[in-house]
Amino acid sequence: MARSAMPNESDRPNVIVFMTDDQGYGDLSCMGATDFRTPNLDNLAANGVRFTDWYSNSPVCSPSRAALLTGRYPGNAGVRAILQGHRTASGLPNSTPTISSLLKDRGYQTSMVGKWHLGLTDECRPHSHGFDYWFGFLAGCIDFYSHIYYWGANRPGPGINPTHDLWENNEEVWHDSEYFTELIAEKAIERLRAMVAEKRESGQPFLLYAPFNAPHYPMHAPEKYTSRFAHLPWDRRIMAAMISAIDDAIGAIMNELTRLGEAEDTFTFFVSDNGPSRETRNWLDGTLDPYYGGTSGGLKGHKFSLFDGGIRMPAIAHYPARIPGGQVVSTPCASMDIVPTALHAADGTAPTPDTGEFDGTSILDLLSNGTDLPERDLYWELDGQTAIRRGNHKLVIDGVLVEEDQPQTHIHLADLSNDISESHNLADQAPRLASELEKAALDWRAGIQERWDRDYAHLGHGIVTYADFPVG
């Protein structure tokens, strides 16, 4: 049953976006995990919408975040690859509107707590993208307790020395020994209280963007979490502990939202940025074997791959005032749909070309009353890989399974309606469809490249790709 009509302007919803880092499709109990439980996220899904076919717009960190925050394909947002983490690294151009700048223009309070990874130069930092308040780190990964960025150590260039990377409103701050996942929850709850107090005074709704850096390496978790999973092998035990800490943190944030009386009118999204990492640096003991702690839930590929294991993500939406709970939605959706959907909820009408440039589409009507989305293709690109999904068919060009891998085959066509693992290549059986999809994907990528050369190539981002040294 559909909910009531769009709220009056004074009752525009608050917006919360949770994002996790390197969390695989199968690493929530509501998505099929059986060796650990995520009760708070399960509850959010049970009372909202769980997506079976939700996609990140990139299989690596920075581009996926750029798409989520801008509503555009990464190349149209100005970030196509993993960005470096040293203090002179550039990133998301401040000429690109973001969910924070767009909602701020509509009178929203805007806060970010967590991982940024969209540039460290001043013009790329969160305050230059519309956030009134921000707390967190700017590089791709930090030690969870010291909050030091080590990744570039002993590699030539400006990142050769480790740097401390923790900030509050652009001032460096120190929270030594505080586990960062718990610090995100603490600061997010502080901001909720402050923004709700302001809302009661001024009527301004709020945006909270809370991107966790877990379960990205380094694989750190306090004993109170690891002890819950003593029966699991080390790699899986730490993964479960890190995700359990996220689940507790999100539970604490949502419980505080309820206590403050704002849960009913808050539009909440939960997504991951890309698939699970197989990088050997996850082990922390020098092991050179690929890491097995995360699971893509039976999907093919991992982080860095344009097969679904790298880009199909666990995702949840929750908005009690407008969206019926208990839904499972199998319509293909993507992280770039969040901005148009949030604007639809804020404005009362879906975005048009006059609203701004978006590659994503609003899914509010799909979630609130079951209105079908217009048919569309979804596209991806990373280095030598390109992919397209059209209906149930997915074509991957020069797809790899993991970083530093050789392509599996030049053209791989799968029917996801009966082959979720992309195990069977139908390219020889359906050559006309394969040719049509290949042309569409390459034409799309040519357009991305043309836009990039015109608008962004001159920015000279410091990037790291999987063919070199991945940091995302």
Side-chain angles (χ1 to χ4, degrees), residues 339-357:
V339 172
T341 304
L343 295 183
H344 188 172
D347 293 345
T349 57
T352 67
D354 291 335
T355 310
E357 178 191 342

Side-chain angles (χ1 to χ4, degrees), residues 240-293:
M242 294 176 79
I243 294 174
S244 185
I246 295 169
D247 188 70
D248 282 5
I250 290 176
I253 293 166
M254 295 305 294
N255 286 341
E256 183 65 15
L257 188 72
T258 299
R259 189 190 71 81
L260 293 168
E262 294 290 332
E264 185 77 8
D265 291 317
T266 297
F267 204 160
T268 302
F269 296 91
F270 168 88
V271 297
S272 175
D273 66 342
N274 49 250
S277 170
R278 295 291 302 279
E279 296 158 274
T280 60
R281 60 176 58 88
N282 286 283
W283 287 108
L284 292 182
D285 63 0
T287 298
L288 297 180
D289 194 40
Y291 182 71
Y292 301 100

Side-chain angles (χ1 to χ4, degrees), residues 199-456:
K199 181 179 179 181
R200 288 170 180 165
E201 290 290 326
S202 66
Q204 289 179 277
F206 58 81
L207 163 70
L208 173 64
Y209 173 49
F212 291 86
N213 58 322
H216 191 294
Y217 59 78
M219 307 308 287
H220 289 163
E223 191 275 338
K224 69 179 181 181
Y225 295 110
T226 59
S227 63
R228 298 177 185 179
F229 309 105
H231 60 290
L232 296 178
W234 180 89
D235 54 345
R236 189 61 175 161
R237 178 165 71 248
I238 302 301
M239 176 63 66
M242 294 176 79
I243 294 174
S244 185
I246 295 169
D247 188 70
D248 282 5
I250 290 176
I253 293 166
M254 295 305 294
N255 286 341
E256 183 65 15
L257 188 72
T258 299
R259 189 190 71 81
L260 293 168
E262 294 290 332
E264 185 77 8
D265 291 317
T266 297
F267 204 160
T268 302
F269 296 91
F270 168 88
V271 297
S272 175
D273 66 342
N274 49 250
S277 170
R278 295 291 302 279
E279 296 158 274
T280 60
R281 60 176 58 88
N282 286 283
W283 287 108
L284 292 182
D285 63 0
T287 298
L288 297 180
D289 194 40
Y291 182 71
Y292 301 100
T295 175
S296 56
L299 303 178
K300 183 176 185 175
H302 296 78
K303 179 181 179 180
F304 301 102
S305 175
L306 290 187
F307 291 108
D308 268 14
I311 53 177
R312 195 193 290 204
M313 298 293 102
I316 299 166
H318 181 265
Y319 181 9
R322 294 216 52 202
I323 296 176
Q327 296 187 68
V328 178
V329 169
S330 297
T331 301
C333 299
S335 291
M336 66 182 179
D337 296 333
I338 288 177
V339 172
T341 304
L343 295 183
H344 188 172
D347 293 345
T349 57
T352 67
D354 291 335
T355 310
E357 178 191 342
F358 304 112
D359 296 311
T361 190
S362 173
I363 60 172
L364 182 58
D365 289 340
L366 168 69
L367 305 184
S368 61
N369 56 37
T371 301
D372 290 337
L373 293 182
E375 291 187 7
R376 60 171 175 169
D377 296 339
L378 293 173
Y379 298 96
W380 298 265
E381 53 114 12
L382 181 70
D383 290 346
Q385 304 175 86
T386 310
I388 177 175
R389 176 166 176 172
R390 175 178 293 172
N392 287 321
H393 287 100
K394 169 105 177 291
L395 182 134
V396 183
I397 302 172
D398 294 327
V400 303
L401 295 182
V402 294
E403 71 281 6
E404 301 180 24
D405 197 11
Q406 294 299 310
Q408 294 288 293
T409 186
H410 176 52
I411 297 294
H412 189 284
L413 175 65
D415 182 350
L416 299 178
S417 67
N418 55 34
D419 182 19
I420 192 173
S421 63
E422 296 172 277
S423 299
H424 305 291
N425 189 354
L426 306 178
D428 290 340
Q429 298 176 38
R432 179 176 296 179
L433 176 60
S435 178
E436 290 175 359
L437 293 180
E438 180 185 17
K439 181 179 186 305
L442 294 177
D443 286 350
W444 169 81
R445 182 157 185 167
I448 292 288
Q449 187 64 50
E450 180 181 357
R451 171 75 176 277
W452 184 265
D453 292 342
R454 182 182 73 242
D455 293 345
Y456 302 121

